[in-house]
Amino acid sequence: MSTPVTIHTLSGTSRLAGVMGWPVSHSKSPRLQGYWLAQYGVDGTYMPLPVLPENFAASVKSLRDLGFAGVNVTIPYKQAVFAVCDELTDRAKRIGAVNTVTFSPDGKIQGDNTDGFGFIENLRQYVPDIDFSSGPAVVLGAGGASRAVIVSLLDENCPQIRLTNRTASRAHELAREIGDDRITVVDWPIAKTSLCDAALLVNTTSLGMVGQPALEIDLGGLAQSAIVTDIVYAPLKTNLLLGAEARGNKVVDGLGMLLHQARPGFHRWFGVDPVVTSELREFVLSPV
Ligand code: ATR
């Protein structure tokens, strides 16, 4: 007996999108966007686009000229794409990076950053009554992800951000660049002192990720009502989240940030605001 074949064809008016990076084979975006394309029956495709650095700028313009609706941009191009964009959203300027590009009908290249949106929406999905203005947030790490997290928390009226990083100069530099007096830099060796009366603790460092050292922080001073989240999602439950959960804190893993940050691009390119479900989570995590 022959196996039934699922046929996916594109029409002459299919919408085209993809993810540009170098390398790009690690990206979960094609699987994620592909799931939504199938779920919503969209006449479109989303493909991995490995692009060498010397070809990057020309490739973005070529995709526009080829009629693509837009692209996601990942490492190492999140900053380089700035120079290619004709228009940038306010949040992309403040975060200092672009992850979502849309080609407008008049040929303009529009850059946005949806990482902060993904961070906030992930927390809202698991803690629907979360109030970001209810107390200080402690942010561990001062890389690109930290910047998106901090900008989004400030936009949600977080009253104070306590920023701490192994390399103190990077934390000071980030605070200076964002330029909001609600950011206070705390020395890394005394990070635990910043937990007192915090409403939210966020790990944006790579500590705790598969193959990286664990994040060691004494949570003793953290209120039980505080929410703890990690942008690391491999493993889903980092030692930070396991430790926080064991002492009664509500925890939110980092996978949802990846899933939610993809929504605005899908909406713009394919016309549907997609939903992040537990089935999607399982699909994205399952081996190809
Ligand atoms: P991303 O853009 O994904 O945030 P990044 O810019 O490489 O990545 O930042 C990684 C973060 O993890 C930084 O805050 C880094 O601290 P440093 O600025 O001191 O490098 C942090 N990090 C990585 N390894 C670390 C370690 N072993 N101990 C403490 N922090 C670490």
Side-chain angles (χ1 to χ4, degrees):
M1 212 170 69
S2 63
T3 317
V5 175
T6 307
I7 301 172
H8 295 284
T9 58
L10 297 174
S11 77
T13 56
S14 291
R15 307 280 290 167
L16 308 175
V19 54
M20 303 178 83
W22 186 262
V24 84
S25 53
H26 66 280
S27 173
K28 294 196 183 297
S29 295
R31 210 161 153 73
L32 161 57
Q33 300 264 347
Y35 180 94
W36 282 331
L37 287 170
Q39 180 184 353
Y40 295 107
V42 174
D43 178 17
T45 193
Y46 183 100
M47 58 191 84
L49 300 163
V51 179
L52 281 167
E54 57 267 36
N55 298 329
F56 177 71
S59 297
V60 176
K61 291 177 184 162
S62 297
L63 291 174
R64 173 197 60 193
D65 299 342
L66 286 164
F68 270 59
V71 279
N72 284 124
V73 177
T74 187
I75 293 165
Y77 300 131
K78 285 186 168 192
Q79 272 94 30
V81 68
F82 255 79
V84 194
C85 289
D86 301 305
E87 293 166 3
L88 292 164
T89 58
D90 181 56
R91 61 188 181 184
K93 284 186 210 159
R94 289 165 61 226
I95 294 171
V98 162
N99 71 342
T100 305
V101 170
T102 302
F103 303 119
S104 69
D106 63 357
K108 290 253 164 48
I109 301 174
Q110 300 168 331
D112 190 12
N113 190 308
T114 65
D115 286 331
F117 168 86
F119 171 73
I120 296 291
E121 288 292 296
N122 183 35
L123 286 169
R124 285 224 169 95
Q125 179 165 16
Y126 289 98
V127 191
D129 61 349
I130 191 166
D131 176 4
F132 295 99
S133 68
S134 69
V138 175
V139 176
L140 310 175
S146 169
R147 192 163 169 151
V149 164
I150 292 173
V151 167
S152 66
L153 286 173
L154 292 172
D155 287 349
E156 293 293 332
N157 298 317
C158 184
Q160 190 188 35
I161 310 268
R162 297 170 184 164
L163 170 60
T164 182
N165 193 52
R166 173 182 60 178
T167 310
S169 58
R170 261 189 114 187
H172 286 287
E173 179 64 11
L174 182 55
R176 195 190 59 74
E177 280 176 22
I178 297 176
D180 191 302
D181 58 15
R182 286 174 288 169
I183 306 173
T184 303
V185 175
V186 178
D187 284 342
W188 182 253
I190 57 159
K192 70 172 185 184
T193 63
S194 65
L195 298 177
C196 156
D197 76 5
L200 179 67
L201 169 62
V202 189
N203 175 43
T204 76
T205 74
S206 48
L207 292 172
M209 195 186 286
V210 174
Q212 299 291 322
L215 170 61
E216 309 282 358
I217 183 166
D218 176 0
L219 298 178
L222 188 68
Q224 226 178 46
S225 57
I227 295 157
V228 180
T229 187
D230 203 321
I231 70 157
V232 169
Y233 59 83
L236 271 182
K237 283 277 174 77
T238 57
N239 73 317
L240 170 68
L241 298 188
L242 289 170
E245 204 168 42
R247 61 191 296 284
N249 291 93
K250 203 172 265 186
V251 304
V252 179
D253 70 56
L255 181 61
M257 178 174 173
L258 170 79
L259 305 180
H260 283 282
Q261 64 76 32
R263 280 172 43 207
F266 190 90
H267 191 194
R268 273 173 223 146
W269 308 325
F270 301 117
V272 179
D273 184 9
V275 177
V276 171
T277 59
S278 50
E279 290 78 19
L280 173 66
R281 281 173 64 90
E282 271 170 43
F283 181 77
V284 168
L285 288 174
S286 61
V288 179

